Amino acid sequence: MGKTWALISHLHALAGPSLTLIYPLYASICAMESTSKLDDGQWLAYWIIYSFIALFEMAAERVLYWIPLWYEVKLLFVAWLVLPQFRGASFIYKKFVREQIRKHGVKLHHGHGHDAGHAVHVIKAEHGMH
């Protein structure tokens, strides 16, 4: 039982960083290097949502310590965010983050990013303009 438990503990320790950082990092690089811009939004959305999760964890660290399954719930949520079958990060961004930005009238400075023209193009494409 001791070796089995050690193996499970090591897999558990590897699952978090692999799921939250290594795979999204790899997929983000692939998205940036591909000619298609369709997957860029998924990975930008992932890093935005992951940043919110990290900030939430820092702010609520003392409370989260007492929630027994927080880490496992977080891993399941992150799996939903990153797995291509679900595209959870894009869903959360569109349904919650974007809605809050619009609701509160947040003015975003256009022209940031790797391609200033890309942001305008994406906004036009989403609204059916060419």
Side-chain angles (χ1 to χ4, degrees):
M1 179 70 177
K3 290 182 181 181
T4 304
W5 184 251
L7 177 64
I8 291 171
S9 295
H10 288 323
L11 288 176
H12 187 267
L14 290 174
S18 297
L19 189 61
T20 62
L21 297 170
I22 296 172
Y23 175 70
L25 175 63
Y26 171 75
S28 297
I29 291 169
C30 290
M32 291 295 292
E33 295 302 319
S34 74
T35 56
S36 171
K37 297 299 176 192
L38 295 174
D39 49 0
D40 291 5
Q42 162 67 14
W43 295 109
L44 284 170
Y46 172 77
W47 292 111
I48 291 167
I49 304 303
Y50 185 75
S51 297
F52 281 134
I53 293 169
L55 291 169
F56 170 74
E57 284 184 315
M58 283 190 274
E61 180 180 8
R62 292 177 192 237
V63 175
L64 294 176
Y65 175 79
W66 295 101
I67 300 175
L69 296 175
W70 165 251
Y71 187 72
E72 289 77 10
V73 170
K74 177 183 134 181
L75 284 182
L76 287 173
F77 179 67
V78 169
W80 180 74
L81 291 175
V82 302
L83 291 175
Q85 300 90 320
F86 303 114
R87 298 185 53 81
S90 291
F91 176 81
I92 294 290
Y93 184 83
K94 290 175 185 172
K95 294 293 181 187
F96 298 103
V97 177
R98 181 178 289 152
E99 291 301 318
Q100 291 302 310
I101 290 170
R102 290 179 178 166
K103 178 180 174 183
H104 296 291
V106 175
K107 301 289 184 200
L108 301 176
H109 178 69
H110 292 286
H112 284 279
H114 66 281
D115 181 9
H118 178 69
V120 174
H121 179 70
V122 170
I123 290 170
K124 288 180 180 179
E126 287 177 354
H127 295 14
M129 298 177 224
H130 298 285

